Amino acid sequence: MSNYFLDFSQRKVIGKIEPTVFGSFIEQLGRAVYNGIYEPTHKTSDSVGFRNDVKKLINELGVSIIRFPGGNYVSSHNWKHSIGPIDKRPVDLSLAWTERDPNLVGIDEFVPYAYSCNCEVMMALNLGTGTFEDVIDIVEYCNINNSCYWADERIKNGSRQPYNIKYWCLGNELDGEYQICHMSADDYSKKAVSAAQIAKTIDPNILTIACGSSSPYSAKFPAWDKTVLHETFDYIDFLGIHAYFTYPDLNNRVDAEFFGSAKMFNDYIHTCIKLIKEEKEARKSDKEIYLSVDEWNVWHTFDGTLNYKTPWGCGEPRLENQYDYADMLVFTTLLTTLLNNADYVKIACLAQLINVIAPILTQKNGSVLRQTIFYPFSILANSVKNALSLETLSYLPSFKTKKYGEVSSVYSNVSYIADRDEYVVTLVNLTNEEINLDLICKHNATLDKIITFKTDNIHIKNTFDQPDNVKPLTVDKHLDFSDSLNYVLKPFSLDFLYIKNRKE
Ligand code: AHR
């Protein structure tokens, strides 16, 4: 018996975990596309130039939807330059990232590629330099069957069937002053309303995502989001928010401070949910607006990955974070936060997917690497899509941080998979002490298996030379118990418990 407990016996549902919560993001940036997914000279590449070894890992990761083509990149992107015969495509400058884009991976390459990875596409519209005519044309190109100019162009370019892209982002981070053509919340809202109206007129099945805040730390948050929700309410389906976390003080990297990130993340999400509810209430509306956390991750900038020296290059390393075990713990607390808000978080895109702040790293002409953060995403994506995220009652220890105040030592999520009558319990211990916990389900049950990690160095990383420094261990248990299970969380541990109800 322990003082600390996590009780999920009430089986109170927060929400269904939509598969789209396990989304990701590929931007035309660094080695995400060129020398990432696309490397025609690689020995595993297909006839278009996509690496099959990378595709295999995308499948293993369990990604359900990929946002494309940006990010900041999209705000000066001319989509019409990225279609048609490859040898006739112009080279463009990516203003956001001071890179060159030869436009070798456009809509007709990327969308079929994503579909072949069993992923949907979340297309981002250019609401920076882009015009409303561009919006009409791209939606027509992607989603209209035939017999109009841009649909017929798509057919000429080899795709008989429309792509039927359902999710469309109305621009990217237009609140940020670094964003090409950034604007006020009022100006953005006007542009977003017209773009959404155009998209939904062309294809009423389209769901639109408005730009909410680019960061919980933004000085414009939450005023920006409040205005956008108020002005665009009738035209949008999701408020899209972004959040990246690192050590709050980059000159003094205290793990415990970084470990508080999910508290900020949760507050951010809750503030947005409150704004949505208030706007709905003020209008006496039945319409639901959900959250799309369409960029989230741990992102460190202290290692110089932002200081690129060669402007206007292409396919060179940018923002290639190497994630360690501690990053994996924080990453999992962020992921459990998304799942614990499954009533409103219906889409989330891990930013990004390949090489750029990503779970997968590639070597040019070489192999692929699963970074530490690959594992919690893949384990949960392959276990709890369509499961029910459950409310818990808990009494847990906590620790103090300067930045985030009192933070729980244990982050958890309990998901229930109805057709297997099984719970998946995710447990992260953020402290260097053992925590003795009672898991209460008030039922006869069996602890079937545990997926766990072992390390005595929380700053260890996976490298191409030592790719298995951090990897999951599966322990088969088949341990029957009644009502509650006493479980000891090891210091700095990450465990996934698979618990089946037993009817007897
Ligand atoms: O994911 C990297 C960048 O982070 C994206 O381009 C931008 O939207 C965000 O600021």
PDB file of all heavy atoms in Angstrom, residues 15 62 83 86 106 132 136 219 239 273 308 371 376 393 405 411 447 490 496 501:
ATOM      1  N   GLY A  15     -12.541  12.057 -23.566  1.00  0.00           N
ATOM      2  CA  GLY A  15     -12.867  12.143 -24.991  1.00  0.00           C
ATOM      3  C   GLY A  15     -12.239  10.991 -25.735  1.00  0.00           C
ATOM      4  O   GLY A  15     -11.364  10.287 -25.216  1.00  0.00           O
ATOM      5  N   GLY A  62       3.730   5.350 -36.663  1.00  0.00           N
ATOM      6  CA  GLY A  62       2.266   5.354 -36.512  1.00  0.00           C
ATOM      7  C   GLY A  62       1.625   6.696 -36.795  1.00  0.00           C
ATOM      8  O   GLY A  62       0.545   7.010 -36.282  1.00  0.00           O
ATOM      9  N   ILE A  83       4.214  22.357 -59.411  1.00  0.00           N
ATOM     10  CA  ILE A  83       3.483  21.324 -60.173  1.00  0.00           C
ATOM     11  C   ILE A  83       3.972  21.323 -61.631  1.00  0.00           C
ATOM     12  O   ILE A  83       4.681  22.229 -62.041  1.00  0.00           O
ATOM     13  CB  ILE A  83       1.945  21.576 -60.149  1.00  0.00           C
ATOM     14  CG1 ILE A  83       1.619  22.982 -60.653  1.00  0.00           C
ATOM     15  CG2 ILE A  83       1.382  21.328 -58.758  1.00  0.00           C
ATOM     16  CD1 ILE A  83       0.153  23.189 -60.976  1.00  0.00           C
ATOM     17  N   ILE A  86       8.754  18.228 -63.995  1.00  0.00           N
ATOM     18  CA  ILE A  86       9.818  18.535 -63.018  1.00  0.00           C
ATOM     19  C   ILE A  86      10.896  19.441 -63.638  1.00  0.00           C
ATOM     20  O   ILE A  86      11.346  20.392 -63.014  1.00  0.00           O
ATOM     21  CB  ILE A  86      10.477  17.215 -62.528  1.00  0.00           C
ATOM     22  CG1 ILE A  86       9.482  16.376 -61.741  1.00  0.00           C
ATOM     23  CG2 ILE A  86      11.767  17.480 -61.750  1.00  0.00           C
ATOM     24  CD1 ILE A  86       9.566  16.493 -60.237  1.00  0.00           C
ATOM     25  N   GLY A 106       6.450  18.704 -54.999  1.00  0.00           N
ATOM     26  CA  GLY A 106       5.237  19.520 -54.906  1.00  0.00           C
ATOM     27  C   GLY A 106       4.046  18.647 -54.561  1.00  0.00           C
ATOM     28  O   GLY A 106       4.198  17.495 -54.123  1.00  0.00           O
ATOM     29  N   PHE A 132      -6.234  35.401 -52.799  1.00  0.00           N
ATOM     30  CA  PHE A 132      -7.444  34.561 -52.737  1.00  0.00           C
ATOM     31  C   PHE A 132      -7.565  33.705 -53.997  1.00  0.00           C
ATOM     32  O   PHE A 132      -8.086  32.603 -53.959  1.00  0.00           O
ATOM     33  CB  PHE A 132      -8.687  35.425 -52.542  1.00  0.00           C
ATOM     34  CG  PHE A 132      -8.703  36.094 -51.193  1.00  0.00           C
ATOM     35  CD1 PHE A 132      -8.951  37.458 -51.071  1.00  0.00           C
ATOM     36  CD2 PHE A 132      -8.447  35.370 -50.043  1.00  0.00           C
ATOM     37  CE1 PHE A 132      -8.945  38.070 -49.820  1.00  0.00           C
ATOM     38  CE2 PHE A 132      -8.441  35.960 -48.792  1.00  0.00           C
ATOM     39  CZ  PHE A 132      -8.686  37.314 -48.689  1.00  0.00           C
ATOM     40  N   ILE A 136      -8.374  29.721 -54.341  1.00  0.00           N
ATOM     41  CA  ILE A 136      -9.359  29.078 -55.230  1.00  0.00           C
ATOM     42  C   ILE A 136      -8.658  28.000 -56.060  1.00  0.00           C
ATOM     43  O   ILE A 136      -9.111  26.851 -56.138  1.00  0.00           O
ATOM     44  CB  ILE A 136      -9.997  30.106 -56.209  1.00  0.00           C
ATOM     45  CG1 ILE A 136     -10.735  31.196 -55.451  1.00  0.00           C
ATOM     46  CG2 ILE A 136     -10.928  29.403 -57.211  1.00  0.00           C
ATOM     47  CD1 ILE A 136     -11.279  32.311 -56.325  1.00  0.00           C
ATOM     48  N   ALA A 219       3.517  37.359 -26.461  1.00  0.00           N
ATOM     49  CA  ALA A 219       2.910  38.494 -25.751  1.00  0.00           C
ATOM     50  C   ALA A 219       1.481  38.725 -26.241  1.00  0.00           C
ATOM     51  O   ALA A 219       0.681  39.352 -25.559  1.00  0.00           O
ATOM     52  CB  ALA A 219       3.765  39.732 -25.959  1.00  0.00           C
ATOM     53  N   LEU A 239      -9.149  25.769 -33.936  1.00  0.00           N
ATOM     54  CA  LEU A 239      -8.165  26.812 -33.649  1.00  0.00           C
ATOM     55  C   LEU A 239      -6.822  26.093 -33.598  1.00  0.00           C
ATOM     56  O   LEU A 239      -6.652  25.129 -32.841  1.00  0.00           O
ATOM     57  CB  LEU A 239      -8.477  27.480 -32.303  1.00  0.00           C
ATOM     58  CG  LEU A 239      -7.522  28.598 -31.897  1.00  0.00           C
ATOM     59  CD1 LEU A 239      -7.751  29.845 -32.764  1.00  0.00           C
ATOM     60  CD2 LEU A 239      -7.689  28.968 -30.420  1.00  0.00           C
ATOM     61  N   ILE A 273      -9.309  26.422 -24.600  1.00  0.00           N
ATOM     62  CA  ILE A 273     -10.622  25.761 -24.466  1.00  0.00           C
ATOM     63  C   ILE A 273     -11.615  26.744 -23.835  1.00  0.00           C
ATOM     64  O   ILE A 273     -12.775  26.851 -24.262  1.00  0.00           O
ATOM     65  CB  ILE A 273     -10.499  24.469 -23.633  1.00  0.00           C
ATOM     66  CG1 ILE A 273      -9.655  23.434 -24.392  1.00  0.00           C
ATOM     67  CG2 ILE A 273     -11.875  23.903 -23.282  1.00  0.00           C
ATOM     68  CD1 ILE A 273      -9.336  22.163 -23.606  1.00  0.00           C
ATOM     69  N   TYR A 308      22.734  28.755 -38.941  1.00  0.00           N
ATOM     70  CA  TYR A 308      23.218  28.205 -40.202  1.00  0.00           C
ATOM     71  C   TYR A 308      24.025  29.259 -40.936  1.00  0.00           C
ATOM     72  O   TYR A 308      23.712  30.426 -40.928  1.00  0.00           O
ATOM     73  CB  TYR A 308      22.077  27.678 -41.059  1.00  0.00           C
ATOM     74  CG  TYR A 308      20.747  28.314 -40.790  1.00  0.00           C
ATOM     75  CD1 TYR A 308      20.417  29.523 -41.378  1.00  0.00           C
ATOM     76  CD2 TYR A 308      19.839  27.716 -39.938  1.00  0.00           C
ATOM     77  CE1 TYR A 308      19.194  30.110 -41.117  1.00  0.00           C
ATOM     78  CE2 TYR A 308      18.622  28.303 -39.675  1.00  0.00           C
ATOM     79  CZ  TYR A 308      18.315  29.498 -40.263  1.00  0.00           C
ATOM     80  OH  TYR A 308      17.114  30.082 -40.008  1.00  0.00           O
ATOM     81  N   GLN A 371      15.287   8.538 -32.928  1.00  0.00           N
ATOM     82  CA  GLN A 371      15.714   9.326 -31.774  1.00  0.00           C
ATOM     83  C   GLN A 371      14.906   8.871 -30.550  1.00  0.00           C
ATOM     84  O   GLN A 371      13.885   8.170 -30.677  1.00  0.00           O
ATOM     85  CB  GLN A 371      15.449  10.807 -32.018  1.00  0.00           C
ATOM     86  CG  GLN A 371      16.271  11.382 -33.151  1.00  0.00           C
ATOM     87  CD  GLN A 371      16.995  12.658 -32.715  1.00  0.00           C
ATOM     88  OE1 GLN A 371      17.765  12.660 -31.758  1.00  0.00           O
ATOM     89  NE2 GLN A 371      16.744  13.719 -33.433  1.00  0.00           N
ATOM     90  N   PRO A 376       8.090   6.939 -27.387  1.00  0.00           N
ATOM     91  CA  PRO A 376       6.773   7.145 -26.749  1.00  0.00           C
ATOM     92  C   PRO A 376       5.677   7.451 -27.767  1.00  0.00           C
ATOM     93  O   PRO A 376       4.534   7.002 -27.620  1.00  0.00           O
ATOM     94  CB  PRO A 376       7.005   8.336 -25.808  1.00  0.00           C
ATOM     95  CG  PRO A 376       8.343   8.899 -26.150  1.00  0.00           C
ATOM     96  CD  PRO A 376       9.118   7.840 -26.842  1.00  0.00           C
ATOM     97  N   LEU A 393      -8.515  10.202 -10.758  1.00  0.00           N
ATOM     98  CA  LEU A 393      -8.371  10.888  -9.473  1.00  0.00           C
ATOM     99  C   LEU A 393      -6.983  10.525  -8.994  1.00  0.00           C
ATOM    100  O   LEU A 393      -6.571   9.367  -9.133  1.00  0.00           O
ATOM    101  CB  LEU A 393      -9.388  10.353  -8.462  1.00  0.00           C
ATOM    102  CG  LEU A 393     -10.844  10.664  -8.745  1.00  0.00           C
ATOM    103  CD1 LEU A 393     -11.726   9.861  -7.801  1.00  0.00           C
ATOM    104  CD2 LEU A 393     -11.081  12.157  -8.565  1.00  0.00           C
ATOM    105  N   GLY A 405       6.195  27.064 -11.045  1.00  0.00           N
ATOM    106  CA  GLY A 405       5.615  26.841  -9.719  1.00  0.00           C
ATOM    107  C   GLY A 405       5.668  25.369  -9.356  1.00  0.00           C
ATOM    108  O   GLY A 405       6.569  24.638  -9.764  1.00  0.00           O
ATOM    109  N   TYR A 411       3.583  12.291 -14.416  1.00  0.00           N
ATOM    110  CA  TYR A 411       2.610  12.588 -15.481  1.00  0.00           C
ATOM    111  C   TYR A 411       2.046  11.264 -15.970  1.00  0.00           C
ATOM    112  O   TYR A 411       2.768  10.270 -16.082  1.00  0.00           O
ATOM    113  CB  TYR A 411       3.270  13.367 -16.628  1.00  0.00           C
ATOM    114  CG  TYR A 411       3.214  14.844 -16.355  1.00  0.00           C
ATOM    115  CD1 TYR A 411       4.111  15.429 -15.468  1.00  0.00           C
ATOM    116  CD2 TYR A 411       2.215  15.635 -16.917  1.00  0.00           C
ATOM    117  CE1 TYR A 411       4.031  16.779 -15.166  1.00  0.00           C
ATOM    118  CE2 TYR A 411       2.132  16.988 -16.624  1.00  0.00           C
ATOM    119  CZ  TYR A 411       3.039  17.552 -15.752  1.00  0.00           C
ATOM    120  OH  TYR A 411       2.949  18.877 -15.448  1.00  0.00           O
ATOM    121  N   LEU A 447      -2.330  -7.404 -15.165  1.00  0.00           N
ATOM    122  CA  LEU A 447      -1.263  -6.608 -15.781  1.00  0.00           C
ATOM    123  C   LEU A 447      -0.593  -7.525 -16.789  1.00  0.00           C
ATOM    124  O   LEU A 447       0.112  -8.465 -16.429  1.00  0.00           O
ATOM    125  CB  LEU A 447      -0.260  -6.143 -14.713  1.00  0.00           C
ATOM    126  CG  LEU A 447       1.005  -5.474 -15.243  1.00  0.00           C
ATOM    127  CD1 LEU A 447       0.689  -4.204 -16.011  1.00  0.00           C
ATOM    128  CD2 LEU A 447       1.968  -5.177 -14.090  1.00  0.00           C
ATOM    129  N   LYS A 490      10.374   3.723 -11.010  1.00  0.00           N
ATOM    130  CA  LYS A 490      11.807   3.929 -10.807  1.00  0.00           C
ATOM    131  C   LYS A 490      12.128   5.415 -11.059  1.00  0.00           C
ATOM    132  O   LYS A 490      11.376   6.114 -11.730  1.00  0.00           O
ATOM    133  CB  LYS A 490      12.602   3.068 -11.803  1.00  0.00           C
ATOM    134  CG  LYS A 490      12.375   1.575 -11.623  1.00  0.00           C
ATOM    135  CD  LYS A 490      13.377   1.034 -10.617  1.00  0.00           C
ATOM    136  CE  LYS A 490      13.313  -0.461 -10.450  1.00  0.00           C
ATOM    137  NZ  LYS A 490      12.096  -0.993  -9.853  1.00  0.00           N
ATOM    138  N   PHE A 496       4.839   2.064 -19.777  1.00  0.00           N
ATOM    139  CA  PHE A 496       3.501   1.889 -20.359  1.00  0.00           C
ATOM    140  C   PHE A 496       2.980   0.552 -19.840  1.00  0.00           C
ATOM    141  O   PHE A 496       3.594  -0.494 -20.088  1.00  0.00           O
ATOM    142  CB  PHE A 496       3.574   1.867 -21.885  1.00  0.00           C
ATOM    143  CG  PHE A 496       4.147   3.128 -22.464  1.00  0.00           C
ATOM    144  CD1 PHE A 496       5.516   3.238 -22.705  1.00  0.00           C
ATOM    145  CD2 PHE A 496       3.337   4.211 -22.748  1.00  0.00           C
ATOM    146  CE1 PHE A 496       6.058   4.402 -23.219  1.00  0.00           C
ATOM    147  CE2 PHE A 496       3.872   5.382 -23.271  1.00  0.00           C
ATOM    148  CZ  PHE A 496       5.231   5.480 -23.503  1.00  0.00           C
ATOM    149  N   ASN A 501      -9.058  -5.942 -18.139  1.00  0.00           N
ATOM    150  CA  ASN A 501     -10.092  -6.295 -17.173  1.00  0.00           C
ATOM    151  C   ASN A 501     -10.332  -7.798 -17.205  1.00  0.00           C
ATOM    152  O   ASN A 501     -10.264  -8.412 -18.268  1.00  0.00           O
ATOM    153  CB  ASN A 501     -11.404  -5.580 -17.504  1.00  0.00           C
ATOM    154  CG  ASN A 501     -11.424  -4.186 -16.920  1.00  0.00           C
ATOM    155  OD1 ASN A 501     -10.830  -3.940 -15.870  1.00  0.00           O
ATOM    156  ND2 ASN A 501     -12.100  -3.277 -17.591  1.00  0.00           N
TER     157      ASN A 501
END
